[in-house]
């Protein structure tokens, strides 16, 4: 190798003592640089080698390992930086979604599986089991949808909050909204000066690892809004086909088509577990 000064060789020798076990306790060796083949691109890789005094062979510091050229080494470093960046993009996304699409009701901020009581009600027990299984399956990569139907106060939002909080802690990108809230978010993009377009929201909605839409069927307020809501809901359900989504509703299977439309209901069936919980209104237990 050209351009190698005695000083560089001396420094390399010192460094090598830390690198190669055999050299730790000795000083009777010389070092030099040789040209090798980059394992990645077949280009020229510079390989530092040492030779113990009196021995014939030069030994590579990387003996038994692949060596890379300068370009490939730089590329590897760059890939690491990109990876770190990817992670921070994801963290940024999680933060943004928490601001924009994470709306756990105030009374459910602490809702979890532990404080969901079944009190001998077999429907509640079954619902809780399905919810816990959902989390387990999700973590194992077995992803599907849930539709939880039931009367007011039966604990639907509590259960889906428990699912959402557990998976969010695992780092998944999760949206949690009532359908009404999501629709008004979409509606507000039509306002003058809105920072977002409807397409932005659609993109976000299809991006969530898990989307929870609470209170399906309770979104429409007036007759005018009814048709618009139905159409939007159809778009949203369509967007989420093939992506894990959990719906809750006060309507049961029989009445859902009237509330949200036949075509939307029909699309809810694909890959979806339906459960119905009938239970005393828990809110009555909470009154002062
Ligand atoms: N099985 C339960 N164990 C403990 N708390 C419960 C249970 N079921 C409901 N609750 C509590 O009762 C309140 C109402 O429950 P939740 O909001 O889940 O009802 P819901 O089925 O979503 O009702 P709605 O249809 O009106 O939205 C919440 O504060 C919730 O924590
Ligand atoms: Mg609810
Ligand atoms: Zn190379």
């Amino acid at each position: 190798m050209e351009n190698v000064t005695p000083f560089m060789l001396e420094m390399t020798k010192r460094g090598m003592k830390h690198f190669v076990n055999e050299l730790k306790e000795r000083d009777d060796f010389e070092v030099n640089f040789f040209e090798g083949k980059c394992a990645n691109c077949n280009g020229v890789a510079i390989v530092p080698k040492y030779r113990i005094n009196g021995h014939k062979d030069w030994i590579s510091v990387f003996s038994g390992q692949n060596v890379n050229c300068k370009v490939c080494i730089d590329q590897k470093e760059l890939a690491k930086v990109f990876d770190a960046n990817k992670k921070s993009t994801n963290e940024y996304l999680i933060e943004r979604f928490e601001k924009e699409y994470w709306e756990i009701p105030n009374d459910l901020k602490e809702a979890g599986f532990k404080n969901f009581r079944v009190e001998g009600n077999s429907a509640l027990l079954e619902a809780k089991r399905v919810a816990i299984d959902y989390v387990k399956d999700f973590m194992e990569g077995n992803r599907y949808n849930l539709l939880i139907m039931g009367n007011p106060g039966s604990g639907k939002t509590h259960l889906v909050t428990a699912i959402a909080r557990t998976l969010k802690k695992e780092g998944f990108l999760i949206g949690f909204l009532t359908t009404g809230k999501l629709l008004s978010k979409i509606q507000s993009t039509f306002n003058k000066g809105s920072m977002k377009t409807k397409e932005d929201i659609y993109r976000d909605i299809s991006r969530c690892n898990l989307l929870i839409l609470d209170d399906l069927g309770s979104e429409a307020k007036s007759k005018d809004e009814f048709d618009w809501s139905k159409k939007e809901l159809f778009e949203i359900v369509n967007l989420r086909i093939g992506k894990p989504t959990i719906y809750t509703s006060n309507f049961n299977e029989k009445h859902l088509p009237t509330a949200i439309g036949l075509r939307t209901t029909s699309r809810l069936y694909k890959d979806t577990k339906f459960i119905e919980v009938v239970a005393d209104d828990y809110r009555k237990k909470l009154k002062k």
Side-chain angles (χ1 to χ4, degrees), residues 38 41 69 72:
C38 170
C41 72
C69 69
C72 289

Side-chain angles (χ1 to χ4, degrees), residues 105 108 152-153 155-158 160 178 214-215 248 250 283:
L108 289 170
K156 301 178 298 298
T157 307
H158 187 125
V160 293
T178 61
D214 202 15
D215 277 336
T248 78
N250 283 141
R283 291 192 185 95

Side-chain angles (χ1 to χ4, degrees), residues 6-173:
F7 174 73
M8 279 166 74
L9 288 176
E10 181 54 31
M11 296 311 283
T12 309
K13 185 172 173 180
R14 280 194 215 172
M16 229 178 247
K17 285 166 77 79
H18 299 288
F19 215 75
V20 182
N21 249 336
E22 163 176 51
L23 302 176
K24 275 214 168 88
E25 304 292 336
R26 59 198 307 168
D27 214 31
D28 58 335
F29 66 96
E30 56 176 327
V31 303
N32 216 330
F33 294 97
F34 295 82
E35 290 187 350
K37 232 184 212 170
C38 170
N40 194 40
C41 72
N42 270 338
V44 177
I46 304 301
V47 186
K49 292 185 179 180
Y50 63 92
R51 178 165 67 177
I52 291 169
N53 294 350
H55 290 202
K56 193 167 110 287
D57 296 324
W58 287 91
I59 300 170
S60 164
V61 174
F62 304 114
S63 67
Q65 301 170 45
N66 286 334
V67 290
N68 287 126
C69 69
K70 183 85 177 49
V71 176
C72 289
I73 291 172
D74 284 352
Q75 246 164 30
K76 265 191 202 162
E77 286 305 313
L78 210 61
K80 269 190 220 156
V81 174
F82 277 138
D83 260 7
N85 247 329
K86 226 190 273 161
K87 200 169 164 208
S88 64
T89 310
N90 200 34
E91 273 160 19
Y92 159 81
L93 211 59
I94 286 176
E95 238 170 69
R96 181 167 75 75
F97 271 58
E98 194 168 313
K99 283 196 199 107
E100 298 176 15
Y101 303 103
W102 182 255
E103 303 202 358
I104 305 282
N106 271 330
D107 63 326
L108 289 170
K109 291 269 190 285
E110 300 297 320
F113 293 115
K114 274 200 191 121
N115 54 19
F116 187 82
R117 310 176 54 158
V118 295
E119 285 163 355
N121 178 329
S122 61
L124 285 180
L125 181 68
E126 170 67 5
K128 184 173 179 173
R129 200 188 54 75
V130 169
I132 291 174
D133 280 352
Y134 188 86
V135 171
K136 265 197 221 143
D137 289 343
F138 194 97
M139 306 258 265
E140 285 165 10
N142 176 15
R143 315 260 161 103
Y144 46 86
N145 312 312
L146 285 183
L147 170 59
I148 305 179
M149 299 161 288
N151 57 285
S154 58
K156 301 178 298 298
T157 307
H158 187 125
L159 271 183
V160 293
T161 302
I163 295 175
R165 291 179 64 218
T166 312
L167 288 174
K168 189 161 177 288
K169 269 190 221 131
E170 297 294 324
F172 292 105
L173 192 60

Side-chain angles (χ1 to χ4, degrees), residues 246-261:
I246 298 178
Y247 304 91
T248 78
S249 182
N250 283 141
F251 293 93
N252 62 17
E253 223 178 317
K254 187 165 162 229
H255 292 107
L256 209 52
T258 327
I260 64 170

